[in-house]
Short mmCIF file of all heavy atoms in Angstrom, two decimals:
data_model
loop_
_atom_site.label_atom_id
_atom_site.label_comp_id
_atom_site.label_asym_id
_atom_site.label_seq_id
_atom_site.Cartn_x
_atom_site.Cartn_y
_atom_site.Cartn_z
N SER A 3 7.66 0.70 -0.54
CA SER A 3 9.16 0.25 -0.67
C SER A 3 9.98 1.42 -0.11
O SER A 3 11.05 1.07 0.59
CB SER A 3 9.54 0.15 -2.18
OG SER A 3 8.86 -0.99 -2.81
N ALA A 4 9.66 2.72 -0.30
CA ALA A 4 10.45 3.74 0.26
C ALA A 4 10.36 3.73 1.80
O ALA A 4 11.35 3.96 2.48
CB ALA A 4 10.00 5.07 -0.29
N LEU A 5 9.22 3.44 2.36
CA LEU A 5 9.01 3.30 3.74
C LEU A 5 9.76 2.22 4.39
O LEU A 5 10.42 2.37 5.41
CB LEU A 5 7.53 3.23 4.14
CG LEU A 5 6.62 4.42 3.90
CD1 LEU A 5 5.24 4.06 4.19
CD2 LEU A 5 6.93 5.52 4.88
N GLU A 6 9.86 1.08 3.69
CA GLU A 6 10.68 -0.10 4.10
C GLU A 6 12.15 0.40 4.20
O GLU A 6 12.82 -0.05 5.05
CB GLU A 6 10.47 -1.23 3.19
CG GLU A 6 11.27 -2.47 3.70
CD GLU A 6 10.92 -3.72 2.95
OE1 GLU A 6 9.63 -3.92 2.63
OE2 GLU A 6 11.86 -4.52 2.73
N ALA A 7 12.60 1.11 3.15
CA ALA A 7 13.96 1.55 3.10
C ALA A 7 14.21 2.49 4.41
O ALA A 7 15.39 2.65 4.81
CB ALA A 7 14.29 2.36 1.89
N GLU A 8 13.15 3.21 4.89
CA GLU A 8 13.29 4.05 6.08
C GLU A 8 13.07 3.41 7.39
O GLU A 8 12.99 3.95 8.38
CB GLU A 8 12.29 5.15 5.94
CG GLU A 8 12.66 6.26 4.82
CD GLU A 8 13.69 7.23 5.39
OE1 GLU A 8 13.89 7.32 6.57
OE2 GLU A 8 14.47 7.83 4.50
N GLY A 9 12.83 2.02 7.27
CA GLY A 9 12.76 1.21 8.55
C GLY A 9 11.21 0.95 8.94
O GLY A 9 11.05 0.67 10.12
N ILE A 10 10.30 1.18 8.01
CA ILE A 10 8.84 0.95 8.48
C ILE A 10 8.27 -0.06 7.50
O ILE A 10 8.28 -0.03 6.29
CB ILE A 10 8.11 2.41 8.23
CG1 ILE A 10 8.64 3.42 9.19
CG2 ILE A 10 6.57 2.16 8.46
CD1 ILE A 10 8.02 4.76 9.06
N ALA A 11 7.57 -1.06 8.09
CA ALA A 11 6.80 -2.00 7.28
C ALA A 11 5.46 -1.54 7.32
O ALA A 11 4.64 -1.57 8.22
CB ALA A 11 6.88 -3.40 8.06
N ALA A 12 5.07 -1.09 6.07
CA ALA A 12 3.68 -0.60 5.78
C ALA A 12 3.28 -1.00 4.41
O ALA A 12 3.78 -0.46 3.41
CB ALA A 12 3.65 0.97 5.93
N VAL A 13 2.42 -1.93 4.31
CA VAL A 13 2.00 -2.64 2.97
C VAL A 13 1.17 -1.81 2.22
O VAL A 13 0.21 -1.13 2.67
CB VAL A 13 1.47 -4.01 3.33
CG1 VAL A 13 1.02 -4.64 1.94
CG2 VAL A 13 2.51 -4.84 4.00
N ALA A 14 1.40 -1.74 0.90
CA ALA A 14 0.55 -1.09 -0.09
C ALA A 14 -0.74 -2.08 -0.27
O ALA A 14 -0.59 -3.18 -0.54
CB ALA A 14 1.20 -0.89 -1.37
N VAL A 15 -1.97 -1.46 -0.14
CA VAL A 15 -3.21 -2.17 -0.33
C VAL A 15 -3.88 -1.69 -1.65
O VAL A 15 -4.04 -0.49 -1.85
CB VAL A 15 -4.15 -2.02 0.87
CG1 VAL A 15 -5.43 -2.78 0.64
CG2 VAL A 15 -3.51 -2.45 2.13
N ARG A 16 -4.04 -2.69 -2.54
CA ARG A 16 -4.50 -2.28 -3.88
C ARG A 16 -5.85 -3.14 -4.21
O ARG A 16 -6.10 -4.04 -3.54
CB ARG A 16 -3.53 -2.61 -4.89
CG ARG A 16 -2.11 -1.88 -4.74
CD ARG A 16 -0.97 -2.54 -5.46
NE ARG A 16 -0.63 -3.70 -4.55
CZ ARG A 16 0.10 -4.76 -5.04
NH1 ARG A 16 0.35 -4.87 -6.36
NH2 ARG A 16 0.39 -5.75 -4.31
N PRO A 17 -6.47 -2.73 -5.35
CA PRO A 17 -7.70 -3.48 -5.81
C PRO A 17 -7.21 -4.92 -6.07
O PRO A 17 -6.09 -5.22 -6.37
CB PRO A 17 -8.01 -2.76 -7.11
CG PRO A 17 -7.60 -1.40 -6.94
CD PRO A 17 -6.24 -1.55 -6.17
N PRO A 18 -8.15 -5.89 -5.79
CA PRO A 18 -9.53 -5.75 -5.50
C PRO A 18 -9.83 -5.60 -4.01
O PRO A 18 -11.01 -5.56 -3.60
CB PRO A 18 -10.20 -7.02 -5.97
CG PRO A 18 -9.06 -8.03 -5.82
CD PRO A 18 -7.82 -7.31 -6.07
N THR A 19 -8.80 -5.57 -3.11
CA THR A 19 -9.05 -5.34 -1.74
C THR A 19 -9.77 -4.02 -1.41
O THR A 19 -10.54 -3.93 -0.41
CB THR A 19 -7.65 -5.46 -1.03
OG1 THR A 19 -7.02 -6.68 -1.34
CG2 THR A 19 -7.95 -5.46 0.64
N VAL A 20 -9.38 -3.00 -2.20
CA VAL A 20 -10.02 -1.69 -2.07
C VAL A 20 -10.55 -1.32 -3.42
O VAL A 20 -10.07 -1.89 -4.58
CB VAL A 20 -9.02 -0.67 -1.61
CG1 VAL A 20 -8.65 -0.90 -0.12
CG2 VAL A 20 -7.85 -0.55 -2.47
N PRO A 21 -11.53 -0.41 -3.58
CA PRO A 21 -12.01 -0.01 -4.99
C PRO A 21 -10.95 0.52 -5.81
O PRO A 21 -9.95 1.08 -5.36
CB PRO A 21 -13.08 1.01 -4.55
CG PRO A 21 -13.40 0.74 -3.20
CD PRO A 21 -12.20 0.29 -2.47
N ASP A 22 -11.15 0.40 -7.10
CA ASP A 22 -10.22 0.97 -8.15
C ASP A 22 -9.95 2.49 -7.88
O ASP A 22 -10.86 3.24 -7.55
CB ASP A 22 -10.79 0.85 -9.58
CG ASP A 22 -10.74 -0.60 -9.98
OD1 ASP A 22 -9.92 -1.30 -9.60
OD2 ASP A 22 -11.58 -0.98 -10.92
N GLY A 23 -8.75 2.94 -8.02
CA GLY A 23 -8.37 4.28 -7.75
C GLY A 23 -8.19 4.74 -6.39
O GLY A 23 -8.06 5.89 -6.13
N THR A 24 -8.24 3.71 -5.43
CA THR A 24 -8.11 4.17 -4.02
C THR A 24 -6.98 3.32 -3.38
O THR A 24 -7.07 3.02 -2.14
CB THR A 24 -9.42 3.96 -3.30
OG1 THR A 24 -9.66 2.50 -3.12
CG2 THR A 24 -10.57 4.62 -3.87
N ALA A 25 -5.92 2.94 -4.10
CA ALA A 25 -4.79 2.24 -3.52
C ALA A 25 -4.30 3.12 -2.40
O ALA A 25 -4.26 4.32 -2.38
CB ALA A 25 -3.70 1.97 -4.51
N ARG A 26 -3.67 2.41 -1.36
CA ARG A 26 -3.32 3.06 -0.17
C ARG A 26 -2.22 2.40 0.65
O ARG A 26 -1.98 1.18 0.42
CB ARG A 26 -4.58 3.30 0.77
CG ARG A 26 -5.02 1.85 1.29
CD ARG A 26 -6.49 1.99 1.80
NE ARG A 26 -7.43 2.29 0.75
CZ ARG A 26 -8.80 2.57 0.96
NH1 ARG A 26 -9.19 2.56 2.18
NH2 ARG A 26 -9.57 2.78 -0.06
#
């Protein structure tokens, strides 16, 4: 969300797409 406010579209990827504890 903060990146979007700065003009960058960069999506947060969370489980189950990635293993637990490795959101990115």
Side-chain angles (χ1 to χ4, degrees):
S3 295
L5 288 172
E6 183 170 324
E8 287 283 338
I10 296 173
V13 175
V15 180
R16 297 157 288 156
T19 306
V20 294
D22 287 335
T24 68
R26 67 198 64 189

